[in-house]
Amino acid sequence: MMTVWTVARLTIREAQRRWILWAALLLGLAFLVVYGLGFYEMQKDIQRQMGSGIMARVGALEFHSFYGLAGLYVVNFLASIMAVLTSVDTIAGEISSGTVHTLVSKPVQRREIVIGKWLGFAFMLTLYLLLMAGGTVGIGYIIAGFLAPNVLRGLLLMWLNVLLLLSVSLAGGSVLSTLANGVLVFGLYGVAFIGGWVEQIGSFFDNATAVRIGIVCSLIIPSDALWRRAAFEMQSALEGVIGGSPFATNSVPSPFMVGYAVLYTAVAVALAVQLFRKRDL
């Protein structure tokens, strides 16, 4: 177990040395500054134009819900991209460069290398998500006193999505080159993304075939399904009824899909371990 934590620590140090962590933090702070300034300026307009009646309060609440979900949508996208970009080269690149021989020549089991790297990246991505999503939610609360419903549940689903993509990236990197692994993971992410929109539009027009296509895409990789479930948990009641927001969802993934995503993540980690163990270095 000590070896696993050592590999995790080395993974974090490598990310620091390559400026991955610092670049992510700086750009994350820039996003939060822009998001916060936009929220503040629009909140001033709302207070000036809408007054204090009950309809004004309802309108303000819907704006806060819409803007908050828009911010979290971007955060989910950035965290997903970060999960892939930070890990896509970690095993494949080290095999290609021969760096991995330094580790495997020591009394370290290959599964400890994979699990240690997974823990190291999971720790970094968790911090990144806490900064971005926590900052987005905090800005809404500080400026307008707005807190999305079930926000903790929604953030946990976003976190699961990040771990899912990290696990798939490590599994691909255990058997493919860096470029092929990147194409694979981003391709799967794109399939899930377009499948989610097909399911949404199909649900809106009551097209059962389109809905089934979206469900099949979610079974291939449930990354977009996790975001849609998170958005459903955090959207306001009125937004869920009228479905007037591009971030609202009218085809809600079931709890079964969340359980499937947990299983998918665990299988991807186990597959990464198995593939790397059999990989000819």
Side-chain angles (χ1 to χ4, degrees):
M1 191 63 181
M2 184 63 68
T3 303
V4 169
W5 293 115
T6 300
V7 174
R9 189 166 61 251
L10 290 174
T11 300
I12 295 171
R13 285 184 181 175
E14 178 65 14
Q16 290 176 321
R17 187 185 68 81
R18 294 169 61 184
W19 282 84
I20 295 173
L21 269 180
W22 306 120
L25 289 173
L26 288 173
L27 292 173
L29 289 172
F31 165 81
L32 291 176
V33 168
V34 173
Y35 177 85
L37 288 174
F39 200 118
Y40 176 74
E41 290 299 324
M42 286 183 277
Q43 175 67 11
K44 286 198 305 184
D45 285 343
I46 288 174
Q47 291 176 333
R48 183 171 60 250
Q49 296 176 15
M50 289 189 173
S52 58
I54 185 170
M55 293 305 295
R57 288 197 296 271
V58 171
L61 178 64
E62 290 311 301
F63 164 76
H64 297 150
S65 179
F66 172 83
Y67 196 76
L69 277 180
L72 290 172
Y73 179 85
V74 175
V75 169
N76 183 72
F77 174 76
L78 292 176
S80 299
I81 297 301
M82 188 66 62
V84 179
L85 291 180
T86 54
S87 60
V88 69
D89 187 51
T90 186
I91 293 179
E94 289 180 4
I95 292 174
S96 177
S97 65
T99 307
V100 74
H101 295 121
T102 306
L103 282 175
V104 297
S105 63
K106 300 182 184 300
V108 179
Q109 297 183 33
R110 291 194 183 188
R111 63 179 176 83
E112 293 176 324
I113 295 174
V114 175
I115 295 173
K117 286 182 175 295
W118 188 91
L119 287 173
F121 283 118
F123 177 75
M124 290 187 293
L125 292 167
T126 299
L127 289 182
Y128 180 76
L129 188 62
L130 283 175
L131 168 70
M132 299 289 282
T136 300
V137 172
I139 286 170
Y141 186 76
I142 292 170
I143 294 177
F146 172 76
L147 191 64
N150 304 316
V151 65
L152 181 58
R153 197 179 304 168
L155 295 184
L156 285 174
L157 289 167
M158 292 170 62
W159 181 59
L160 176 57
N161 178 44
V162 169
L163 298 183
L164 168 74
L165 290 170
L166 167 63
S167 304
V168 172
S169 178
L170 286 181
S174 297
V175 69
L176 299 173
S177 68
T178 299
L179 181 59
N181 188 31
V183 170
L184 170 70
V185 182
F186 280 120
L188 288 173
Y189 183 80
V191 167
F193 181 81
I194 192 62
W197 278 103
V198 169
E199 184 179 347
Q200 289 285 90
I201 296 171
S203 176
F204 182 80
F205 289 106
D206 199 23
N207 187 316
T209 301
V211 171
R212 282 195 290 269
I213 290 172
I215 293 173
V216 169
C217 291
S218 294
L219 291 174
I220 293 173
I221 182 168
S223 55
D224 191 74
L226 287 173
W227 160 251
R228 286 187 286 120
R229 181 72 197 192
F232 166 75
E233 296 287 352
M234 294 185 289
Q235 69 188 8
S236 69
L238 180 59
E239 194 171 23
V241 171
I242 63 178
S245 165
F247 310 108
T249 179
N250 46 28
S251 179
V252 183
S254 67
F256 166 80
M257 188 61 74
V258 177
Y260 175 74
V262 173
L263 179 63
Y264 195 105
T265 302
V267 170
V269 174
L271 186 61
V273 171
Q274 187 70 6
L275 290 172
F276 185 62
R277 188 177 67 83
K278 294 184 174 181
R279 179 76 180 264
D280 184 10
L281 302 179

